[in-house]
Amino acid sequence: MPMYLDDLDVASKTAGLNSALIVPCNMCPAVTVAIRDKEPFVRFFRSLLKSAPFEQYIRALQSRLNENGIDAHVFKSPLPHQWFLCMWTSGRRRKLEKCAGQYDAVIVLGCDAAGETVRDSVQSTNCRVIEGMEATGFMNAKLKFRLPGTVSFEDCKIIPISQRKPND
């Protein structure tokens, strides 16, 4: 099951910047937002291969940044094999590197692995990497398909990330 992510304070970390590129992972954060909003993850016939709750979340973040004087754009990854940011191809990473060079910062919406992928991808640029979310647990839920083409998660439980010691 996907990681459960909590939002981090992006506003304070972007103060004084002129531009930012929002780089979302389209799996764990999208599932997290759909579960938090109690909305379907995907409705295939309304928005093919997009999670409406997550798209709304990203637009709201972009709007807040714009209100603070930050020109914010989104680095989109529409193809299903690009949804997991932590498993992007080298070509996708190069495309991010090229695009990120035009911005003061990159805001990562994803787990630590997503953040590492972005840091590795943009290390040759002068762009700052800002974590927009942090992993706090794993989601355990029942996948539910409904007609016409709706995918939801039910009975979700958040399992905290274990902090076991080596001798436990």
Side-chain angles (χ1 to χ4, degrees):
M1 229 24 220
M3 301 285 290
Y4 185 80
L5 303 159
D6 282 334
D7 298 333
L8 295 175
D9 178 22
V10 174
S12 67
K13 295 176 185 173
T14 55
L17 297 179
N18 294 314
S19 62
L21 181 64
I22 301 167
V23 181
C25 175
N26 288 316
M27 188 48 65
C28 296
V31 173
T32 296
V33 171
I35 287 173
R36 280 195 313 218
D37 292 354
K38 296 178 175 56
E39 293 284 333
F41 170 60
V42 174
R43 292 180 178 166
F44 289 112
F45 297 112
R46 286 195 184 169
S47 56
L48 184 64
L49 300 179
K50 289 184 181 182
S51 176
F54 191 49
E55 291 291 316
Q56 183 178 351
Y57 174 90
I58 292 170
R59 281 192 304 273
L61 173 59
Q62 190 176 14
S63 179
R64 285 193 308 274
L65 291 168
N66 289 332
E67 288 170 6
N68 290 334
I70 299 167
D71 184 28
H73 296 268
V74 181
F75 187 77
K76 297 194 182 247
S77 297
L79 301 175
H81 73 279
Q82 298 171 351
W83 278 14
F84 291 89
L85 200 157
C86 61
M87 294 188 276
W88 274 359
T89 62
S90 57
R92 191 79 188 138
R93 293 169 192 232
R94 280 191 303 273
K95 188 169 183 176
L96 173 61
E97 176 185 26
K98 185 178 178 182
C99 189
Q102 303 169 30
Y103 295 88
D104 296 333
V106 171
I107 300 168
V108 183
L109 299 180
C111 68
D112 294 347
E116 188 65 21
T117 298
V118 171
R119 274 189 293 282
D120 286 348
S121 300
V122 303
Q123 66 184 349
S124 68
T125 69
N126 290 325
C127 159
R128 218 167 94 196
V129 176
I130 298 170
E131 303 283 341
M133 298 177 136
E134 70 177 341
T136 57
F138 298 96
M139 291 180 266
N140 184 327
K142 296 174 187 166
L143 188 63
K144 186 75 174 186
F145 295 99
R146 289 192 177 98
L147 294 175
T150 298
V151 178
S152 297
F153 295 94
E154 294 181 348
D155 300 327
C156 185
K157 297 176 188 167
I158 309 304
I159 313 303
I161 295 176
S162 177
Q163 300 296 324
R164 290 186 187 189
K165 296 178 185 167
N167 296 331
D168 285 352

